[in-house]
mmCIF file of all heavy atoms in Angstrom:
data_model
loop_
_atom_site.group_PDB
_atom_site.id
_atom_site.type_symbol
_atom_site.label_atom_id
_atom_site.label_comp_id
_atom_site.label_asym_id
_atom_site.label_seq_id
_atom_site.Cartn_x
_atom_site.Cartn_y
_atom_site.Cartn_z
ATOM 1 N N PHE Z 49 51.113 -27.113 -41.433
ATOM 2 C CA PHE Z 49 51.400 -25.922 -42.225
ATOM 3 C C PHE Z 49 52.234 -24.956 -41.384
ATOM 4 O O PHE Z 49 52.494 -25.177 -40.209
ATOM 5 C CB PHE Z 49 50.104 -25.234 -42.662
ATOM 6 C CG PHE Z 49 49.173 -26.128 -43.446
ATOM 7 C CD1 PHE Z 49 47.839 -26.256 -43.084
ATOM 8 C CD2 PHE Z 49 49.639 -26.832 -44.533
ATOM 9 C CE1 PHE Z 49 46.983 -27.070 -43.811
ATOM 10 C CE2 PHE Z 49 48.791 -27.650 -45.264
ATOM 11 C CZ PHE Z 49 47.467 -27.774 -44.902
ATOM 12 N N ARG Z 50 52.609 -23.846 -42.005
ATOM 13 C CA ARG Z 50 53.370 -22.839 -41.262
ATOM 14 C C ARG Z 50 52.490 -22.115 -40.257
ATOM 15 O O ARG Z 50 52.981 -21.515 -39.308
ATOM 16 C CB ARG Z 50 53.974 -21.831 -42.244
ATOM 17 C CG ARG Z 50 55.029 -22.440 -43.175
ATOM 18 C CD ARG Z 50 55.643 -21.341 -44.050
ATOM 19 N NE ARG Z 50 56.658 -21.880 -44.938
ATOM 20 C CZ ARG Z 50 56.422 -22.303 -46.172
ATOM 21 N NH1 ARG Z 50 55.182 -22.241 -46.653
ATOM 22 N NH2 ARG Z 50 57.389 -22.764 -46.930
ATOM 23 N N SER Z 51 51.179 -22.131 -40.461
ATOM 24 C CA SER Z 51 50.268 -21.397 -39.585
ATOM 25 C C SER Z 51 48.947 -22.149 -39.505
ATOM 26 O O SER Z 51 48.788 -23.217 -40.085
ATOM 27 C CB SER Z 51 50.054 -19.977 -40.121
ATOM 28 O OG SER Z 51 49.554 -20.020 -41.445
ATOM 29 N N VAL Z 52 47.985 -21.580 -38.769
ATOM 30 C CA VAL Z 52 46.665 -22.190 -38.633
ATOM 31 C C VAL Z 52 45.995 -22.268 -40.006
ATOM 32 O O VAL Z 52 46.055 -21.323 -40.799
ATOM 33 C CB VAL Z 52 45.789 -21.364 -37.670
ATOM 34 C CG1 VAL Z 52 44.356 -21.867 -37.666
ATOM 35 C CG2 VAL Z 52 46.352 -21.425 -36.260
ATOM 36 N N PHE Z 53 45.344 -23.394 -40.283
ATOM 37 C CA PHE Z 53 44.588 -23.562 -41.525
ATOM 38 C C PHE Z 53 43.448 -22.558 -41.548
ATOM 39 O O PHE Z 53 42.651 -22.458 -40.603
ATOM 40 C CB PHE Z 53 44.070 -24.993 -41.608
ATOM 41 C CG PHE Z 53 43.128 -25.261 -42.738
ATOM 42 C CD1 PHE Z 53 43.443 -24.903 -44.037
ATOM 43 C CD2 PHE Z 53 41.901 -25.871 -42.506
ATOM 44 C CE1 PHE Z 53 42.566 -25.144 -45.090
ATOM 45 C CE2 PHE Z 53 41.018 -26.133 -43.548
ATOM 46 C CZ PHE Z 53 41.357 -25.757 -44.840
ATOM 47 N N GLY Z 54 43.346 -21.790 -42.632
ATOM 48 C CA GLY Z 54 42.331 -20.742 -42.707
ATOM 49 C C GLY Z 54 40.919 -21.256 -42.571
ATOM 50 O O GLY Z 54 40.047 -20.580 -42.007
ATOM 51 N N GLY Z 55 40.645 -22.465 -43.091
ATOM 52 C CA GLY Z 55 39.306 -23.025 -42.980
ATOM 53 C C GLY Z 55 38.887 -23.239 -41.540
ATOM 54 O O GLY Z 55 37.697 -23.127 -41.206
ATOM 55 N N GLN Z 56 39.866 -23.544 -40.659
ATOM 56 C CA GLN Z 56 39.527 -23.707 -39.241
ATOM 57 C C GLN Z 56 38.998 -22.398 -38.671
ATOM 58 O O GLN Z 56 37.995 -22.370 -37.953
ATOM 59 C CB GLN Z 56 40.758 -24.149 -38.453
ATOM 60 C CG GLN Z 56 40.500 -24.220 -36.941
ATOM 61 C CD GLN Z 56 41.765 -24.138 -36.105
ATOM 62 O OE1 GLN Z 56 42.689 -24.921 -36.310
ATOM 63 N NE2 GLN Z 56 41.808 -23.198 -35.170
ATOM 64 N N VAL Z 57 39.668 -21.288 -38.994
ATOM 65 C CA VAL Z 57 39.252 -19.987 -38.462
ATOM 66 C C VAL Z 57 37.899 -19.583 -39.041
ATOM 67 O O VAL Z 57 37.034 -19.058 -38.334
ATOM 68 C CB VAL Z 57 40.328 -18.918 -38.749
ATOM 69 C CG1 VAL Z 57 39.970 -17.604 -38.060
ATOM 70 C CG2 VAL Z 57 41.691 -19.398 -38.269
ATOM 71 N N LEU Z 58 37.684 -19.848 -40.334
ATOM 72 C CA LEU Z 58 36.379 -19.574 -40.941
ATOM 73 C C LEU Z 58 35.272 -20.328 -40.219
ATOM 74 O O LEU Z 58 34.232 -19.748 -39.867
ATOM 75 C CB LEU Z 58 36.398 -20.000 -42.412
ATOM 76 C CG LEU Z 58 37.111 -19.100 -43.415
ATOM 77 C CD1 LEU Z 58 37.359 -19.855 -44.718
ATOM 78 C CD2 LEU Z 58 36.299 -17.836 -43.683
ATOM 79 N N GLY Z 59 35.482 -21.631 -40.013
ATOM 80 C CA GLY Z 59 34.456 -22.450 -39.385
ATOM 81 C C GLY Z 59 34.196 -22.063 -37.943
ATOM 82 O O GLY Z 59 33.038 -21.978 -37.504
ATOM 83 N N GLN Z 60 35.261 -21.825 -37.179
ATOM 84 C CA GLN Z 60 35.076 -21.446 -35.782
ATOM 85 C C GLN Z 60 34.414 -20.078 -35.657
ATOM 86 O O GLN Z 60 33.562 -19.873 -34.790
ATOM 87 C CB GLN Z 60 36.429 -21.451 -35.063
ATOM 88 C CG GLN Z 60 36.973 -22.855 -34.777
ATOM 89 C CD GLN Z 60 38.284 -22.823 -34.027
ATOM 90 O OE1 GLN Z 60 39.113 -21.944 -34.234
ATOM 91 N NE2 GLN Z 60 38.491 -23.794 -33.153
ATOM 92 N N ALA Z 61 34.798 -19.138 -36.506
ATOM 93 C CA ALA Z 61 34.194 -17.804 -36.447
ATOM 94 C C ALA Z 61 32.702 -17.872 -36.747
ATOM 95 O O ALA Z 61 31.880 -17.237 -36.069
ATOM 96 C CB ALA Z 61 34.902 -16.863 -37.422
ATOM 97 N N LEU Z 62 32.341 -18.660 -37.771
ATOM 98 C CA LEU Z 62 30.915 -18.792 -38.092
ATOM 99 C C LEU Z 62 30.168 -19.455 -36.948
ATOM 100 O O LEU Z 62 29.060 -19.029 -36.585
ATOM 101 C CB LEU Z 62 30.741 -19.596 -39.376
ATOM 102 C CG LEU Z 62 29.295 -19.808 -39.831
ATOM 103 C CD1 LEU Z 62 28.606 -18.474 -40.105
ATOM 104 C CD2 LEU Z 62 29.233 -20.693 -41.070
ATOM 105 N N HIS Z 63 30.769 -20.477 -36.344
ATOM 106 C CA HIS Z 63 30.066 -21.173 -35.265
ATOM 107 C C HIS Z 63 29.996 -20.306 -34.004
ATOM 108 O O HIS Z 63 29.035 -20.429 -33.233
ATOM 109 C CB HIS Z 63 30.732 -22.508 -34.969
ATOM 110 C CG HIS Z 63 29.782 -23.526 -34.406
ATOM 111 N ND1 HIS Z 63 28.541 -23.777 -34.959
ATOM 112 C CD2 HIS Z 63 29.868 -24.343 -33.314
ATOM 113 C CE1 HIS Z 63 27.918 -24.705 -34.249
ATOM 114 N NE2 HIS Z 63 28.693 -25.051 -33.249
ATOM 115 N N ALA Z 64 30.960 -19.429 -33.795
ATOM 116 C CA ALA Z 64 30.858 -18.473 -32.688
ATOM 117 C C ALA Z 64 29.660 -17.546 -32.912
ATOM 118 O O ALA Z 64 28.862 -17.308 -31.996
ATOM 119 C CB ALA Z 64 32.146 -17.666 -32.566
ATOM 120 N N ALA Z 65 29.519 -17.048 -34.135
ATOM 121 C CA ALA Z 65 28.369 -16.189 -34.441
ATOM 122 C C ALA Z 65 27.063 -16.957 -34.289
ATOM 123 O O ALA Z 65 26.049 -16.400 -33.839
ATOM 124 C CB ALA Z 65 28.498 -15.629 -35.854
ATOM 125 N N ASN Z 66 27.066 -18.259 -34.652
ATOM 126 C CA ASN Z 66 25.854 -19.075 -34.514
ATOM 127 C C ASN Z 66 25.303 -19.047 -33.089
ATOM 128 O O ASN Z 66 24.081 -19.121 -32.884
ATOM 129 C CB ASN Z 66 26.155 -20.530 -34.876
ATOM 130 C CG ASN Z 66 26.398 -20.741 -36.366
ATOM 131 O OD1 ASN Z 66 26.044 -19.903 -37.181
ATOM 132 N ND2 ASN Z 66 27.011 -21.858 -36.699
ATOM 133 N N GLN Z 67 26.210 -18.969 -32.106
ATOM 134 C CA GLN Z 67 25.779 -19.026 -30.708
ATOM 135 C C GLN Z 67 24.986 -17.787 -30.298
ATOM 136 O O GLN Z 67 24.341 -17.783 -29.242
ATOM 137 C CB GLN Z 67 26.998 -19.182 -29.772
ATOM 138 C CG GLN Z 67 27.976 -20.273 -30.159
ATOM 139 C CD GLN Z 67 27.317 -21.601 -30.453
ATOM 140 O OE1 GLN Z 67 26.540 -22.116 -29.644
ATOM 141 N NE2 GLN Z 67 27.638 -22.165 -31.614
ATOM 142 N N THR Z 68 25.028 -16.736 -31.126
ATOM 143 C CA THR Z 68 24.353 -15.478 -30.772
ATOM 144 C C THR Z 68 23.102 -15.237 -31.623
ATOM 145 O O THR Z 68 22.513 -14.154 -31.545
ATOM 146 C CB THR Z 68 25.311 -14.289 -30.952
ATOM 147 O OG1 THR Z 68 25.545 -14.059 -32.363
ATOM 148 C CG2 THR Z 68 26.646 -14.545 -30.259
ATOM 149 N N VAL Z 69 22.715 -16.246 -32.429
ATOM 150 C CA VAL Z 69 21.588 -16.099 -33.347
ATOM 151 C C VAL Z 69 20.575 -17.200 -33.058
ATOM 152 O O VAL Z 69 20.947 -18.349 -32.790
ATOM 153 C CB VAL Z 69 22.066 -16.185 -34.815
ATOM 154 C CG1 VAL Z 69 20.893 -16.065 -35.779
ATOM 155 C CG2 VAL Z 69 23.100 -15.095 -35.099
ATOM 156 N N SER Z 70 19.286 -16.880 -33.101
ATOM 157 C CA SER Z 70 18.254 -17.876 -32.839
ATOM 158 C C SER Z 70 18.301 -18.982 -33.892
ATOM 159 O O SER Z 70 18.666 -18.754 -35.044
ATOM 160 C CB SER Z 70 16.876 -17.220 -32.817
ATOM 161 O OG SER Z 70 16.613 -16.578 -34.048
ATOM 162 N N ASP Z 71 17.903 -20.193 -33.483
ATOM 163 C CA ASP Z 71 18.049 -21.380 -34.331
ATOM 164 C C ASP Z 71 17.270 -21.294 -35.634
ATOM 165 O O ASP Z 71 17.656 -21.907 -36.632
ATOM 166 C CB ASP Z 71 17.603 -22.632 -33.568
ATOM 167 C CG ASP Z 71 18.562 -23.017 -32.454
ATOM 168 O OD1 ASP Z 71 19.668 -22.439 -32.412
ATOM 169 O OD2 ASP Z 71 18.210 -23.886 -31.629
ATOM 170 N N GLU Z 72 16.159 -20.532 -35.662
ATOM 171 C CA GLU Z 72 15.347 -20.511 -36.875
ATOM 172 C C GLU Z 72 15.986 -19.669 -37.981
ATOM 173 O O GLU Z 72 15.553 -19.728 -39.139
ATOM 174 C CB GLU Z 72 13.935 -19.991 -36.590
ATOM 175 C CG GLU Z 72 13.830 -18.521 -36.251
ATOM 176 C CD GLU Z 72 13.983 -18.255 -34.751
ATOM 177 O OE1 GLU Z 72 14.367 -19.195 -34.029
ATOM 178 O OE2 GLU Z 72 13.714 -17.116 -34.329
ATOM 179 N N ARG Z 73 17.012 -18.897 -37.656
ATOM 180 C CA ARG Z 73 17.707 -18.091 -38.672
ATOM 181 C C ARG Z 73 18.941 -18.856 -39.144
ATOM 182 O O ARG Z 73 19.728 -19.334 -38.335
ATOM 183 C CB ARG Z 73 18.094 -16.722 -38.116
ATOM 184 C CG ARG Z 73 16.858 -15.941 -37.709
ATOM 185 C CD ARG Z 73 17.119 -14.497 -37.390
ATOM 186 N NE ARG Z 73 15.842 -13.833 -37.115
ATOM 187 C CZ ARG Z 73 15.523 -12.608 -37.512
ATOM 188 N NH1 ARG Z 73 16.395 -11.894 -38.210
ATOM 189 N NH2 ARG Z 73 14.338 -12.100 -37.234
ATOM 190 N N ILE Z 74 19.099 -18.958 -40.465
ATOM 191 C CA ILE Z 74 20.175 -19.765 -41.025
ATOM 192 C C ILE Z 74 21.231 -18.860 -41.666
ATOM 193 O O ILE Z 74 20.921 -17.839 -42.274
ATOM 194 C CB ILE Z 74 19.638 -20.768 -42.074
ATOM 195 C CG1 ILE Z 74 18.862 -20.045 -43.178
ATOM 196 C CG2 ILE Z 74 18.755 -21.822 -41.408
ATOM 197 C CD1 ILE Z 74 18.430 -20.939 -44.318
ATOM 198 N N SER Z 75 22.493 -19.237 -41.504
ATOM 199 C CA SER Z 75 23.571 -18.471 -42.128
ATOM 200 C C SER Z 75 23.511 -18.663 -43.634
ATOM 201 O O SER Z 75 23.357 -19.776 -44.130
ATOM 202 C CB SER Z 75 24.926 -18.926 -41.579
ATOM 203 O OG SER Z 75 25.100 -20.319 -41.759
ATOM 204 N N HIS Z 76 23.619 -17.563 -44.372
ATOM 205 C CA HIS Z 76 23.572 -17.665 -45.831
ATOM 206 C C HIS Z 76 24.788 -17.037 -46.493
ATOM 207 O O HIS Z 76 25.045 -17.291 -47.673
ATOM 208 C CB HIS Z 76 22.286 -17.036 -46.394
ATOM 209 C CG HIS Z 76 22.236 -15.548 -46.259
ATOM 210 N ND1 HIS Z 76 22.725 -14.692 -47.224
ATOM 211 C CD2 HIS Z 76 21.772 -14.772 -45.256
ATOM 212 C CE1 HIS Z 76 22.561 -13.440 -46.815
ATOM 213 N NE2 HIS Z 76 21.977 -13.459 -45.633
ATOM 214 N N SER Z 77 25.568 -16.226 -45.772
ATOM 215 C CA SER Z 77 26.772 -15.679 -46.398
ATOM 216 C C SER Z 77 27.760 -15.237 -45.331
ATOM 217 O O SER Z 77 27.386 -14.877 -44.207
ATOM 218 C CB SER Z 77 26.442 -14.499 -47.317
ATOM 219 O OG SER Z 77 26.036 -13.366 -46.567
#
Side-chain angles (χ1 to χ4, degrees):
F49 303 129
R50 294 184 179 92
S51 57
V52 172
F53 172 51
Q56 175 202 306
V57 186
L58 283 164
Q60 286 182 325
L62 180 61
H63 207 47
N66 289 343
Q67 311 311 308
T68 71
V69 179
S70 59
D71 290 349
E72 70 271 11
R73 298 191 176 220
I74 56 174
S75 56
H76 69 90
S77 70

